[in-house]
Amino acid sequence: MSRSIQNHYQTIVNYFDNRSTNASAESLNAKIKAFRSQFRGVRNIEFFLFRLTNIYA
């Protein structure tokens, strides 16, 4: 446990200093994963990325 705290010390301190987390990035990643799971077997990657940016941008 102490090694984990040492490895993530800056992130832990950043939270208490600025109250900033990566929750928004994690939320976006979850949305992208859910969207990607709906369209398995996508052949046109450019169109997939286009639709993704239109929905979540």
Side-chain angles (χ1 to χ4, degrees):
M1 184 171 160
S2 66
R3 191 174 338 166
S4 178
I5 292 173
Q6 289 172 350
N7 290 339
H8 300 286
Y9 176 76
Q10 289 293 36
T11 307
I12 295 168
V13 171
N14 188 39
Y15 171 75
F16 288 106
D17 286 344
N18 302 322
R19 295 286 187 214
S20 62
T21 65
N22 66 343
S24 59
E26 293 296 332
S27 173
L28 180 61
N29 285 339
K31 289 177 184 177
I32 291 172
K33 275 182 133 177
F35 183 76
R36 191 177 66 194
S37 70
Q38 291 176 355
F39 297 100
R40 290 187 187 248
V42 172
R43 294 176 193 237
N44 189 345
I45 301 298
E46 289 181 19
F47 183 67
F48 174 76
L49 293 175
F50 172 75
R51 287 197 59 200
L52 190 65
T53 54
N54 281 340
I55 292 172
Y56 296 114

